[in-house]
Amino acid sequence: MKLGLNLGYWQRHADDATETVLAAERLGYDSVWTAEAYGSDAFTPLAWYGARTSRIKLGTSVAQISARPPVTTAMTAMTLDHLTGGRLLLGVGASGPQVVEGWYGRPFAAPLARTREYVEIMRRVWRREEPVTSDGPHYPLPLPGGLGKPLRLITHPLRPDIPVYLGAEGPKNVALAAEIGQGWLPLFTFPSKIEEMYGEALSGAQDGFDVAAMVMVVISDDVRAALDGVKMMLTLYIGGMGARHRNFHADIVGRMGYAEAAERIQALYLAGRKDEAFHAIPDELADGISLVGPPGRIKERLEPWRRSPVTSLLVMGPRDEPSLKLIRDLVLD
């Protein structure tokens, strides 16, 4: 199992994680990942960290496809991959209707078809085999009826096959990742339930397909407090990160076997009863998707992850070098 570090969003003026990234590189971490929603973008922090490192891979988890036309993402990825010596792992995802329609002002329609078309255009850009055209309904190139002509990328990419990962939660999206991607970026992973939830969807994956699962890690002797930290995060995602009748995070929790709890959590949260929503999250759920407690407990709870299809563990939470070293020793032992 490979080990990565997921930094999430860049949120504050002082949130420069350079020292953390340098420590992760010294400790042999395979990758570092950044995110975007409706604040910091995913690529700029990676350029910043990439300029200060030499080996660690640089991943977006994830770049939202509604934020940029596919050729823009392809150009950005090509440029960053060149500047960092071929270290980019390009994670893309459709996000959800609240962000896509509320922030980007774009319709959240046909996410599977849009993602497939998006990835194919990016690969045509990188291959430079011919001027890029697309007759797809979502990103037609050139624009029909206009004055544009097919164009070829001016710069030769360092790699014409930059690895593409898909951020996906539903079985159909996961199947698409297995079909067209080099990896899958699940947000919430209950390792003992992956085969039941996604076994069929992952059956078409090629050799070397990377299941890069994000996992919140809290090293603490106070297991109760650590679990409560995970539950605070789940309260927001299940309760408020999605529309009332279309919340992908609540859906995935439902598929894990907690549908009734997810419905209650969302109802309480949207009613302004956030404390009750927090207490409605089952400890078993919070414990199942995270690694919390003292080192011995974390080591024990790593076993289901080792037996699962997960091939990369992307750690969220710890930023100091002693904690990162402890996690490395537990995971890579």
Side-chain angles (χ1 to χ4, degrees):
M1 184 182 291
K2 292 178 291 186
L3 188 60
L5 176 67
N6 195 308
L7 298 174
Y9 315 117
W10 186 91
Q11 297 189 57
R12 304 179 301 277
H13 71 280
D15 194 18
D16 180 357
T18 296
E19 292 306 315
T20 300
V21 175
L22 290 172
E25 184 170 65
R26 285 194 298 270
L27 292 168
Y29 278 62
D30 181 71
S31 58
V32 60
W33 301 74
T34 58
E36 67 183 14
Y38 41 96
S40 61
D41 75 285
F43 290 105
T44 307
L46 280 188
W48 180 261
Y49 302 135
R52 289 155 174 77
T53 55
S54 60
R55 181 198 60 79
I56 198 165
K57 295 172 187 169
L58 307 159
T60 56
S61 177
V62 296
Q64 299 165 321
I65 67 174
S66 293
R68 308 163 185 88
V71 294
T72 305
T73 300
M75 289 192 300
T76 305
M78 178 277 298
T79 306
L80 185 53
D81 195 56
H82 244 306
L83 290 173
T84 59
R87 289 188 279 151
L88 182 65
L89 303 172
L90 180 61
V92 297
S95 188
Q98 279 196 323
V99 172
V100 171
E101 297 176 3
W103 186 244
Y104 298 116
R106 307 296 300 169
F108 187 78
L112 289 171
R114 282 191 298 121
T115 301
R116 181 187 294 277
E117 195 174 318
Y118 198 98
V119 171
E120 176 55 31
I121 291 172
M122 290 196 300
R123 287 180 170 148
R124 290 181 187 179
V125 169
W126 298 328
R127 289 194 296 261
R128 290 191 79 254
E129 293 172 348
E130 57 189 3
V132 178
T133 63
S134 175
D135 58 4
H138 304 288
Y139 306 102
L141 290 173
L143 183 68
L147 300 178
K149 66 177 183 178
L151 298 171
R152 190 196 309 260
L153 186 67
I154 296 172
T155 309
H156 288 254
L158 183 65
R159 296 185 294 171
D161 58 348
I162 295 170
V164 175
Y165 287 59
L166 296 190
E169 293 180 274
K172 292 181 180 179
N173 252 323
V174 174
L176 181 66
E179 178 191 349
I180 70 170
Q182 280 84 27
W184 168 38
L185 291 160
L187 176 58
F188 298 136
T189 305
F190 204 122
S192 61
K193 298 177 184 286
I194 295 179
E195 290 285 2
E196 176 186 350
M197 294 172 64
Y198 300 112
E200 183 177 351
L202 291 169
S203 63
Q206 300 296 312
D207 291 343
F209 185 78
D210 189 16
V211 178
M214 293 165 260
V215 57
M216 189 170 179
V217 178
V218 183
I219 303 168
S220 173
D221 290 331
D222 190 339
V223 177
R224 176 71 269 157
L227 279 176
D228 284 350
V230 179
K231 290 173 71 171
M232 286 180 64
M233 177 268 294
L234 283 171
T235 303
L236 173 61
Y237 274 84
I238 299 172
M241 295 288 279
R244 183 182 297 273
H245 302 297
R246 200 168 189 185
N247 182 321
F248 299 137
H249 309 306
D251 291 345
I252 192 174
V253 169
R255 288 194 295 274
M256 288 177 181
Y258 302 95
E260 186 176 332
E263 185 177 347
R264 174 169 169 75
I265 292 160
Q266 188 184 44
L268 289 168
Y269 189 95
L270 295 178
R273 297 156 64 182
K274 297 180 182 179
D275 188 58
E276 292 178 65
F278 166 83
H279 288 291
I281 295 176
D283 284 350
E284 180 187 11
L285 170 61
D287 208 14
I289 67 164
S290 65
L291 290 166
V292 304
R297 186 178 193 273
I298 291 176
K299 182 176 182 178
E300 178 182 315
R301 297 193 67 81
L302 272 167
E303 289 310 308
W305 294 89
R306 298 189 194 281
R307 294 193 298 267
S308 77
V310 172
T311 50
S312 292
L313 204 63
L314 309 185
V315 173
M316 299 186 295
R319 293 290 185 96
D320 61 285
E321 186 162 357
S323 295
L324 294 176
K325 182 178 185 301
L326 175 60
I327 294 166
R328 180 204 64 182
D329 293 345
L330 290 172
V331 173
L332 302 182
D333 182 15

